[in-house]
Amino acid sequence: MQESVQNKTEAVMTEASDSSADEPMIIATEVHKWYGSFHVLQGVSLTVNRGEVVVIMGPSGSGKSTFARTFNALEDYQRGTITIDGMKLGDRQGNVDAIRREVGMVFQQFNLFPHLTVLQNITLAPMWVRGWKKPKAKEVALQLLERVGILPQASKFPGQLSGGQQQRVAIARALAMQPKIMLFDEPTSALDPEMVREVLDVMRGLADDGMTMVVVTHEVGFAREVADRIVLMDDGMIVEVAEPQEFFQNPKHERTRKFLSQIL
């Protein structure tokens, strides 16, 4: 495999740019979810187009992480429909498996295997799920580690890395599956402040490459700079959806204004 991951990514993004700018990758329609009697998602609808970066913000308990996690079936739902790149969730297990192969996920906690090296953490899923031979998986992993700026750490174990480095390994691990969509669930909230920037810089690079991304975060600077649209959720509902300039400078809803007054 001679072609680098970056070249492959650029080829995919070029192909995407030639397609319709409004081609939907995620369509969620009237999604409802209950935890017992608690109605955590109350008829939430959202469409995310190919190459779009959507940031979901909101107070704790608003349902934003739960909503994002329904996109790869880490959370189920009881009513509504979710379609990922033309595949409908909930139809059959085959769809779930296929969707999870196309949707990468990065969590608040890094969820790395502590007994495996960085390189082993990244090569495991492509070898088991995609059936890659070890040399191909290793080559892709090393290219991704170089891309996220931690190639010298390849032979170390997660416990020998900083939090920011571990999160970049987690991003590389998700990218190794060559997903069409990346989900980020508060990826910087467990990091010390000085480590946040290095993770956000990697995410900015993905956005610049045209990766379709849904990001649950409170990082206002990232949302202003990178997001195509910002979604505010509260009490299991979407309160407002707007482009960053409109969202921060001219919010339409009082709940949005109150939320911004607390975080800005």
Side-chain angles (χ1 to χ4, degrees):
M1 186 185 80
Q2 301 297 321
E3 188 179 18
S4 73
V5 169
Q6 178 132 8
N7 287 341
K8 286 186 175 181
T9 303
E10 289 172 353
V12 169
M13 300 316 166
T14 300
E15 180 181 344
S17 66
D18 292 337
S19 62
S20 169
D22 294 329
E23 182 182 353
M25 292 293 284
I26 300 172
I27 304 173
T29 306
E30 289 294 317
V31 176
H32 291 260
K33 178 177 176 62
W34 286 264
Y35 290 125
S37 61
F38 177 46
H39 199 177
V40 62
L41 296 177
Q42 303 185 38
V44 185
S45 298
L46 180 69
T47 296
V48 180
N49 293 321
R50 182 181 297 276
E52 189 176 25
V53 178
V54 172
V55 167
I56 304 178
M57 307 184 83
S60 297
S62 62
K64 56 188 185 296
S65 290
T66 299
F67 186 43
R69 288 163 68 95
T70 64
F71 298 158
N72 65 346
L74 287 177
E75 293 280 357
D76 61 3
Y77 57 97
Q78 285 74 48
R79 272 174 34 200
T81 61
I82 296 176
T83 303
I84 307 294
D85 193 24
M87 295 178 286
K88 187 175 179 180
L89 267 172
D91 281 356
R92 55 190 182 275
Q93 184 62 35
N95 270 6
V96 172
D97 293 341
I99 286 168
R100 285 179 175 167
R101 285 193 293 269
E102 305 302 335
V103 179
M105 182 99 192
V106 177
F107 302 90
Q108 179 177 345
Q109 302 298 329
F110 319 123
N111 294 334
L112 301 174
F113 293 109
H115 62 292
L116 300 180
T117 67
V118 166
L119 187 62
Q120 290 169 334
N121 264 279
I122 296 172
T123 58
L124 187 64
M127 291 170 63
W128 278 92
V129 179
R130 293 214 180 267
W132 291 1
K133 300 297 184 182
K134 186 174 181 179
K136 176 180 179 179
K138 181 179 178 180
E139 182 178 358
V140 171
L142 292 173
Q143 290 167 346
L144 286 168
L145 285 171
E146 183 174 20
R147 180 179 181 182
V148 301
I150 51 172
L151 180 59
Q153 316 303 327
S155 62
K156 292 184 179 179
F157 291 91
Q160 298 175 289
L161 306 181
S162 70
Q165 289 173 327
Q166 289 186 63
Q167 193 61 294
R168 283 185 281 168
V169 174
I171 293 173
R173 179 180 60 182
L175 291 173
M177 289 293 290
Q178 299 183 342
K180 296 178 180 178
I181 300 167
M182 285 288 289
L183 308 178
F184 294 87
D185 186 7
E186 302 198 34
T188 61
S189 61
L191 301 178
D192 292 333
E194 63 268 23
M195 298 178 184
V196 169
R197 182 178 179 83
E198 60 193 39
V199 173
L200 293 180
D201 283 346
V202 172
M203 294 168 64
R204 288 185 181 95
L206 292 177
D208 289 343
D209 285 342
M211 176 66 75
T212 305
M213 297 166 60
V214 176
V215 184
V216 176
T217 186
H218 290 299
E219 295 291 340
V220 173
F222 177 86
R224 286 184 187 272
E225 177 186 346
V226 179
D228 295 295
R229 288 183 296 151
I230 300 176
V231 176
L232 179 69
M233 289 188 66
D234 191 30
D235 289 332
M237 296 177 284
I238 290 179
V239 176
E240 185 159 351
V241 182
E243 295 181 359
Q245 183 173 357
E246 187 76 8
F247 183 86
F248 288 110
Q249 297 184 9
N250 188 32
K252 296 293 189 294
H253 295 271
E254 177 59 31
R255 183 65 186 91
T256 309
R257 291 190 284 271
K258 181 180 179 181
F259 174 77
L260 291 175
S261 72
Q262 295 171 338
I263 67 169
L264 294 179

